[in-house]
Amino acid sequence: MALFYMHSVPIGYVAILLALVASMGGFIFGYDTGQISDILLMDDFLVRFGTCTTPGLASTCHFTTVRAGLIVSLLSIGTLVGALIGAPIADFLGRRYAMVTECIIFIIGVLIQITAVDVWQQFGMGRWVSGLGVGALSAAVPMYQAETAPARLRGTLTATYQLFITFGIFVAYCISIGTRPMSGAGSWRTVVGIGFIWPFILMSGIIFMPESPRWLASRGWIDEARHSLARAHGIPRDQEDSDPFLTPAIEEIRTSVEHERRIRAGWIDCFRPKHKTLYRTLLGMTLQSFQQLTGANYFFYYGATIFQSVGLEDSFVTQIILGAVNFGCTFGGLYVMQRFGRRLPLIIGGIWQSCWLFVFAAAGTAKPPQNNAGIGKCKFSTLVSHSTSAKYLQVMIVSACMFILGYAMTWAPGIWILIGETFPTRTRAKQGALSTASNWLWNFLIAFFTPFIVSAIDFRYGFVFAACNLAGAAIVFFFLYESSDLSLESVDLMYNDPNCRPWTSRQWAPSGYRSRYDLLQQNKAAEADKALAGPGGVESRLEKAETNGIDTPATTTAVSSEGEHQASMGRI
C-alpha cells in the first residue's frame, strides 16, 4: 500500500527504506574517510608506524610527508580501481548482490588494518583493499537508488547517499575523540575495528530490498521487474497487472531495454559522440573531479592537522564541529536539490564556497596564525565559552565552517544525484564507473600531494581551491542540463533535443507538454481516466521516428513513468 502520493504518483515505504539501506554504502565511505585524520595524531599509532628519534616516545615521533601521504591516499587508489570494477560487477551480479560482494571486500581490508603491528605498509595495504570495496559501492549505490527510486523523489532519495557519507565522517570523528584516551593500540584499533559493523548492516538490509527493475528487465525478467517497481511505489501485488501507473511504467522500461539490447554497448560506446554520449561521459567525469577540487577533503583528511598547526589546543574537537556542520547541513541539501533542481544550487554553491575559501586562505596568509589570536590561535575553551559573540570567533574556523555549509548543501549531494540520472540506461553503469573513478583519482591526488603542497605554499593552497570552485560553477552553467522532475528516459530525450541548451533546459518538457508541471498534471488526469497506452504503442512510435530518419537515441524508446506515454517522439 502506498505510504503517500506526490502529484498523484504513489510512493511506497520501500522506496524510502531502500534509499536508507543502500546509503549505508555512503556511511562506510564517510567513516573510512573521517577516521584517518584523527588516527594520524594518536600517540600509539605514531610510535608504531612513524619515524621516532627516541623509540617508544610519541613526542619524538612524526610521519614523513611521503609516509603520511601514502597512508591517507592508498584508500583512494583502491577506490579508483574499485569504481572501475564496480560497473561490471553490478551488471553481472545485479545491484544488490554486487553490494554484498563489495561489503565482504571492505571487511577483508579492515581485518588487514587491525592486525598490523609495526609495519605501516600493512596498514596502508589494508586501506587499499578497503578502498576496493568503497569504490565499487560508490558506483553501485547511486546507480541502484536512481534506477529504483520513484522519479519525483529521485533527487532526495539519491542524496541520502551523501547524507550518510557526512554522517559516517561525523561518527568517525566522535568515536576517535572517545578512544583517544585509551592506552596502547586500542586507541586506533577500536576506531578501525568498529568499521566491521557498517558493512554487516548493509548486507543484512539490502537482501530484503527490491532489485533494480531496469536491471531485471535487462535480463528478461519482466514480471520480477514489475513486482520490484510495484514494491517501490507501494502497489499491492494483486493490483500489479491492472494499476494505471504501473502498466505504462513497465512498458516504458521493457521497450527501452529491448531497443538497447539490439545495440549492445561496451566501454568504447561511452566515448562515441552520437546521442551526446561522449558529452555526458566527459561531463560526469569533470563534475566528479571538481567535487574533489572544491577542497572539502583538504579539511576532512587533514583537518585535525590543519587546526593543530594554527595553534588550537584541541584540534580533535574542531574536527567534530566541522563534521557536525557537514552532517547537519546535508539535511538542508536534500531540500535544496529537490526544491531548486540541480543547476542553480551548484552554481550558487560554487560561488559561495569560493568566497569563503578566499577568506580562509587570506586570513592564513596575511599573518602567521600561530602568533595571532584573532586569526587562529586560542584555547578551545575560550572559543566555546564566547561562541555567541562574533568577536571571539576565529576567522579561519568560521570560514571553514561556512565553506562546508555551502558544500554540504550543494556540491556534496548534487554531484552524486547527477551521476545516477544523467546517463542513458545502456551505458549508465560504465559511465557512472568512469565518472566515479575520476572522483577517486582526484581524491588520491589531493590526499597524497596535500602534505607536499602545504609545506611549500602553506595556506595559500586555499586560493587554488577557491579558483577551482569558480571554474566548477562556470562548467555547470555552460554544460549541465537540468534533469530534476524527469524520468531517466526523459533526461535522455532532453540531452538529445537540438533546440535545448543547458541554460534553457529548466523550461524543457517532453513533447506534448507545456512544462514539467503540466506533465505531472496530465499524468494525474490520465490516472483518473485509466488511459493506458495500447500494446506496442511506444515501439510503433519509435519505428516511425527511425523510418523518418530521426536520429533517435538508445533510451528514447520510452516515455516517462509519470505519464509521458502520451508524448510523441516528434521533438527529438
Side-chain angles (χ1 to χ4, degrees), residues 121 290 310 387:
Q121 291 90 340
F290 272 88
V310 301
S387 59

Side-chain angles (χ1 to χ4, degrees), residues 260 265-266 269-270 277 281 423-432 555:
E260 289 161 11
D269 292 290
C270 298
T277 304
T281 299
F423 309 124
T425 303
R426 72 190 189 102
T427 52
R428 183 176 297 124
K430 296 177 177 64
Q431 287 174 293
T555 56

Side-chain angles (χ1 to χ4, degrees), residues 262-447:
R262 295 196 294 267
I263 47 174
R264 291 182 178 274
W267 286 97
I268 193 64
D269 292 290
C270 298
F271 300 96
R272 297 189 188 280
K274 190 176 182 181
H275 309 316
K276 278 198 172 180
T277 304
L278 174 62
Y279 179 101
R280 284 182 273 181
T281 299
L282 295 178
L283 178 63
M285 295 175 68
T286 302
L287 290 175
Q288 282 281 28
S289 298
F290 272 88
Q291 188 195 53
Q292 288 297 317
L293 289 168
T294 57
N297 280 341
Y298 170 58
F299 295 103
F300 297 146
Y301 281 143
Y302 295 103
T305 304
I306 292 168
F307 290 110
Q308 187 183 62
S309 72
V310 301
L312 286 174
E313 291 186 343
D314 198 338
S315 58
F316 284 77
V317 178
T318 309
Q319 212 42 358
I320 286 182
I321 291 176
L322 295 181
V325 172
N326 187 34
F327 175 55
C329 291
T330 304
F331 283 99
L334 301 182
Y335 171 78
V336 167
M337 300 309 295
Q338 184 68 35
R339 173 66 179 81
F340 299 103
R342 318 297 187 240
R343 282 173 48 85
L344 184 62
L346 291 177
I347 293 170
I348 294 177
I351 296 172
W352 170 276
Q353 291 155 203
S354 179
C355 291
W356 286 107
L357 282 171
F358 272 117
V359 173
F360 177 87
T365 303
K367 295 181 180 179
Q370 296 87 343
N371 304 318
N372 293 272
I375 296 178
K377 187 176 181 179
C378 69
K379 291 183 178 181
F380 196 85
S381 59
T382 302
L383 178 66
V384 174
S385 61
H386 297 84
S387 59
T388 58
S389 178
K391 66 180 181 179
Y392 292 102
L393 291 175
Q394 304 306 301
V395 174
M396 295 183 73
I397 297 175
V398 173
S399 57
C401 288
M402 297 303 286
F403 160 77
I404 289 176
L405 179 149
Y407 174 77
M409 296 183 69
T410 57
W411 276 77
I415 301 304
W416 292 110
I417 294 173
L418 289 167
I419 293 308
E421 67 185 20
T422 301
F423 309 124
T425 303
R426 72 190 189 102
T427 52
R428 183 176 297 124
K430 296 177 177 64
Q431 287 174 293
L434 289 169
S435 300
T436 306
S438 69
N439 182 296
W440 292 119
L441 174 61
W442 281 97
N443 188 300
F444 161 73
L445 293 174
I446 291 171

Side-chain angles (χ1 to χ4, degrees), residues 29 31-37 39-40 45 68-79 105-106 108-114 120-135 192 301 443 447:
F29 166 28
Y31 186 83
D32 221 39
T33 297
Q35 67 183 12
I36 195 61
S37 178
I39 286 177
L40 286 174
F45 194 81
L70 284 174
I71 290 175
V72 173
S73 63
L74 276 170
L75 173 76
S76 304
I77 291 292
T79 53
I105 295 174
F106 178 82
I108 294 172
V110 171
L111 186 62
I112 295 173
Q113 292 176 68
I114 62 174
W120 71 268
Q121 291 90 340
Q122 179 181 341
F123 187 86
M125 287 306 299
R127 282 179 60 78
W128 181 80
V129 174
S130 292
L132 293 176
V134 171
V192 178
Y301 281 143
N443 188 300

